[in-house]
Amino acid sequence: MAIVDVVVIPVGTEGPSVSKYIAEIQTKLKEYKQAGKIDYQLTPMNTLIEGELADLLEVVQAIHELPFDKGLDRVCTNIRIDDRRDKSRKMNDKLTSVEKYLNSNGDNNENI
């Protein structure tokens, strides 16, 4: 299971706000989640998506295309992939690992 950190940046919008584009992206992600392909989490600065790498790359392409479908001529998308193959980890597992470390005063040797 991999995790993708993705930021889709619509260029040439009518103003500085891109919230309506991000909302459309979240709607598309919800469809993929309901199909059982991914899980995702919106943050104030990006969206995190977890799933199998092939599915994630399909999803990234789909959400990258959405602003073009609304008539924009340019979209910049940044992605960062965390693909760990020695153990299966989910987004929340990573957070839990850090929280355990914080709560144990540095005595947790678990690798994130």
Side-chain angles (χ1 to χ4, degrees):
M1 178 142 331
I3 301 171
V4 169
D5 169 354
V6 62
V7 179
V8 177
I9 306 163
V11 178
T13 62
E14 61 278 355
S17 177
V18 294
S19 297
K20 70 179 182 181
Y21 297 97
I22 303 307
E24 184 177 16
I25 288 168
Q26 298 304 302
T27 298
K28 177 61 77 175
L29 293 173
K30 185 176 181 180
E31 292 173 15
Y32 277 98
K33 181 175 181 170
Q34 289 173 337
K37 287 190 165 194
I38 65 161
D39 195 6
Y40 68 96
Q41 178 181 346
L42 175 65
T43 80
M45 297 294 293
N46 63 0
T47 300
L48 301 171
I49 313 168
E50 69 181 12
E52 296 303 320
L53 185 58
D55 292 333
L56 295 176
L57 295 173
E58 173 188 330
V59 169
V60 167
Q61 182 176 2
I63 64 176
H64 174 79
E65 291 293 329
L66 290 173
F68 288 117
D69 295 343
K70 294 296 183 190
L72 292 183
D73 293 323
R74 185 173 183 189
V75 177
C76 298
T77 298
N78 297 327
I79 63 171
R80 183 172 47 165
I81 300 170
D82 180 355
D83 187 8
R84 185 168 179 176
R85 306 256 170 116
D86 64 325
K87 61 171 82 173
S88 179
R89 303 286 284 201
K90 294 189 172 213
M91 292 183 288
N92 288 334
D93 295 335
K94 293 177 75 159
L95 295 174
T96 300
S97 180
V98 172
E99 289 168 1
K100 285 181 186 176
Y101 186 79
L102 290 171
N103 293 332
S104 68
N105 298 318
D107 295 334
N108 186 349
N109 292 323
E110 182 179 354
N111 294 325
I112 301 173

